[in-house]
Each structure stands twice: as C-alpha cells, then as structure tokens.
Amino acid sequence: MPSKRLEFGDFSALTGISNDSYDATIKNLTIASENSFAQLVPLRIVAGFNHVFTALEHALSAFELGSAFARKPELEFIIRLCAEKQLNRALEIAEFGKEPLLLVAKSGEIKKIARGIGFVGKKFEIGKNKAELMKIFGISKRELEAMKDSKSALEELVIEKCALVALEK
C-alpha cells in the first residue's frame, strides 16, 4: 500500500520502510540528501504529523535565530522531535531497526531521496503506540487524563514537551 504524502510548506513526509541496516540507511541518506534537508525517524517516536511538523518548524527557526543545539538542521530536528536537548540521547531514541519509518525532506526532492536510500513507501498508522510514546516522552496518565477533552491529547502533550526543549539551558 503506497504511503500518503503529507505536505508542510516546502517539506513533505512519507511513511515506509527501509530494507537496509541502520548504518547503511543513514550513510545512503547522507549521500542522497547532500545539500538538502532530509531525515529518517522511526514511527514509534512520532505522536502525529503535527508533532513532526512542529518539531521541524522549531528546528528550522532555531537555526534562523542562532539558538540551535546542533550544527545541522537534520540533527536539530531529531533533538526537537525527541524533546531531548542532548544530541547523543536524542540519537539513541531515534535509532531504528527493521520497523516503520518516516522520511521528512524538501518536497521537490523527497522522491529522489527515497529512491536513493531504498525507501519503500507504505501506509502506517501513526501515534497508536500510546504506552510507548508516554514512556519515551515522560507523560503520565494523570497528564493525559487532564487533557481528556482533546481529540489528540497525547500528541498535544508530546508537542508541549518538544517546545520545552528550547527553554533548557
């Protein structure tokens, strides 16, 4: 089943899988996305597309304002997506194996990059692993209950955690 392509400004996101190892996929991603933004993350750390695009917006804004924690926008995106200021910790959270993935890249280049890394588009549900997301982002049942009137309470709480990264020293 093909992946649904989602747009956000100049960027797109696709769900799918890679048949290569983590190291090979990251190496191919670096080559395929030279001089362009592209990042690949496991879907298990994604609470929803608003989470992804908020993290992307925060990462790009941090670069514009000179307040980024990382030296590359792709790495800053991982920091913001994982709500983890320490790059090494964020990379540990975002490391993936043979599992559903999300590719985020410039809209005009996402298909070329997907081909370059052997990314196979496939439709997957996002944000359905509630317990795992709560553990990754340190969200309690109490916090979730306080947001019970929201249709996307978990995603909203994850986005809040991501926004708080900017306030860390």
Side-chain angles (χ1 to χ4, degrees):
M1 180 183 314
S3 172
K4 180 179 179 185
R5 181 170 163 170
L6 295 155
E7 304 286 330
F8 176 78
D10 293 337
F11 294 86
S12 295
L14 293 172
T15 57
I17 57 171
S18 173
N19 293 318
D20 288 332
S21 69
Y22 174 78
D23 291 334
T25 301
I26 294 301
K27 181 179 178 182
N28 290 338
L29 181 64
T30 303
I31 294 166
S33 65
E34 190 175 3
N35 301 319
S36 183
F37 180 98
Q39 191 54 270
L40 199 56
V41 295
L43 279 180
R44 66 180 156 69
I45 67 168
V46 176
F49 283 106
N50 287 330
H51 171 210
V52 171
F53 293 127
T54 299
L56 180 61
E57 184 175 36
H58 288 193
L60 297 175
S61 292
F63 263 85
E64 284 180 24
L65 298 172
S67 61
F69 298 113
R71 293 182 185 182
K72 292 184 169 191
E74 296 88 349
L75 296 176
E76 187 70 19
F77 171 68
I78 297 265
I79 287 171
R80 303 299 173 136
L81 186 73
C82 293
E84 180 61 55
K85 179 184 167 187
Q86 296 298 316
L87 180 58
N88 286 342
R89 176 73 182 118
L91 290 172
E92 285 175 13
I93 293 167
E95 191 169 330
F96 55 83
K98 300 286 185 191
E99 62 186 296
L101 301 170
L102 182 76
L103 174 63
V104 179
K106 290 269 192 166
S107 295
E109 299 172 17
I110 196 163
K111 287 182 181 178
K112 176 188 82 142
I113 291 168
R115 279 190 307 273
I117 64 171
F119 185 80
V120 180
K122 189 172 180 183
K123 191 172 182 179
F124 289 105
E125 291 287 324
I126 295 176
K128 299 298 181 190
N129 54 329
K130 183 176 165 182
E132 186 174 11
L133 286 166
M134 289 174 69
K135 183 178 177 184
I136 290 168
F137 292 99
I139 295 170
S140 68
K141 290 180 182 178
R142 193 176 198 185
E143 288 173 290
L144 206 53
E145 288 170 8
M147 300 279 294
K148 66 182 175 197
D149 293 336
S150 173
K151 290 181 182 177
S152 55
L154 182 57
E155 184 177 21
E156 288 177 31
L157 288 167
V158 168
I159 290 170
E160 182 179 300
K161 298 275 184 177
C162 295
L164 292 174
V165 169
L167 302 177
E168 291 182 28
K169 295 191 184 223

